Amino acid sequence: MRLKSLKLVSTSLALLFFFSCLTINIYFPEAEVQKAAEEIVDEIRKGQEDKDKKDKDSQIIDMMQAMNSTRGSFSLIPSAYAQEKATDVTTPKVRALQQSMKERFPKLRPFFVKGNVGEGNDGFIKIRDESGLNLKEKATLRNLEKDENNDRKNMYAEVARAMEIKPNQISKIQKIFAAEWIKKASSGWWIQNESGGWTKKQ
């Protein structure tokens, strides 16, 4: 009887320890990762895609500054132009990866527009269709895909490291970033749904 009781206590303690560990391991700072993803993707994509708009905004700012110089010290320039949005997950490696992807995006964008490449549901880009591309363009696209996905992989790992998230939860970071990449995709670009099917973004 005593042996049975000891076994029962031991089993109960083992189960308690297991579920305690499980509870610790499944914690994931989803809101914080979401915020980081929004800011990082926005910095990479919006700044490049709206280049013409920024040039126009720059002209407006110049005009407003000229007006302000004739009206005294009262400023009409919105504070949004005065400050750059900074991410909470700011490390030298994150900034370097951001800059790398930001510089690559103008080269990738034509392939998104033509439908050669799309945003995958796992946080990586995928080549969909190479028809209409010559050999040089195919090679360029494949190199861009490889470099972009390598940067994204490193970005997800760096975000996990900076936020002290366990490596076995990086797939959750990828999913959050995937939703953000798709959100920032332009109308007409190909995006992958949860079941793996492809559709054009409306």
Side-chain angles (χ1 to χ4, degrees), residues 78 125 185 190 192:
I125 64 171
W190 288 92
Q192 192 177 34

Side-chain angles (χ1 to χ4, degrees), residues 43 54 80-86 102:
E43 172 66 20
K54 288 176 86 175
Y81 290 109
Q83 293 182 338
E84 290 288 330
K85 190 198 296 188
K102 193 171 184 177

Side-chain angles (χ1 to χ4, degrees), residues 2-196:
R2 183 176 297 174
L3 186 60
K4 279 188 176 181
S5 299
L6 284 172
K7 283 184 178 179
L8 184 61
V9 170
S10 298
T11 303
S12 299
L13 287 171
L15 286 171
L16 182 63
F17 178 75
F18 172 77
F19 285 113
S20 296
C21 292
L22 186 64
T23 303
I24 292 169
N25 288 336
I26 62 172
Y27 171 73
F28 182 77
E30 186 171 350
E32 290 86 348
V33 174
Q34 178 66 47
K35 183 181 178 185
E38 288 173 2
E39 294 180 353
I40 289 170
V41 175
D42 187 60
E43 172 66 20
I44 293 167
R45 282 287 168 83
K46 189 176 180 181
Q48 289 294 332
E49 196 170 4
D50 294 345
K51 189 175 180 181
D52 292 338
K53 181 178 181 297
K54 288 176 86 175
D55 290 342
K56 186 177 179 181
D57 288 345
S58 180
Q59 292 174 356
I60 293 171
I61 292 172
D62 289 341
M63 288 173 55
M64 293 172 77
Q65 285 176 333
M67 290 170 61
N68 288 340
S69 65
T70 62
R71 296 184 183 185
S73 61
F74 178 71
S75 176
L76 296 173
I77 300 174
S79 60
Y81 290 109
Q83 293 182 338
E84 290 288 330
K85 190 198 296 188
T87 66
D88 288 334
V89 185
T90 306
T91 69
K93 191 166 183 180
V94 164
R95 290 194 294 271
L97 289 165
Q98 273 185 315
Q99 187 60 32
S100 177
M101 286 187 272
K102 193 171 184 177
E103 291 173 1
R104 185 180 303 112
F105 181 56
K107 300 172 188 174
L108 264 174
R109 194 170 188 276
F111 293 108
F112 276 114
V113 172
K114 290 187 286 187
N116 304 121
V117 69
E119 284 292 352
N121 61 13
D122 57 357
F124 298 102
I125 64 171
K126 301 181 189 298
I127 294 176
R128 295 188 56 262
D129 184 9
E130 291 184 331
S131 60
L133 301 179
N134 59 38
L135 290 176
K136 184 179 178 181
E137 290 170 329
K138 287 178 182 179
T140 298
L141 176 57
R142 290 170 190 174
N143 285 330
L144 287 169
E145 180 207 31
K146 183 183 73 173
D147 293 342
E148 178 71 11
N149 285 339
N150 188 53
D151 278 352
R152 291 191 184 192
K153 181 180 178 181
N154 289 331
M155 176 68 81
Y156 305 146
E158 181 63 16
V159 167
R161 190 195 67 76
M163 300 181 77
E164 299 182 351
I165 296 171
K166 293 182 180 296
N168 63 2
Q169 293 184 317
I170 288 178
S171 60
K172 294 181 181 179
I173 295 174
Q174 289 179 208
K175 282 291 184 183
I176 291 172
F177 269 82
E180 199 58 34
W181 290 118
I182 288 171
K183 180 182 173 183
K184 292 291 191 299
S186 296
S187 177
W189 292 10
W190 288 92
I191 56 176
Q192 192 177 34
N193 59 34
E194 286 297 319
S195 60

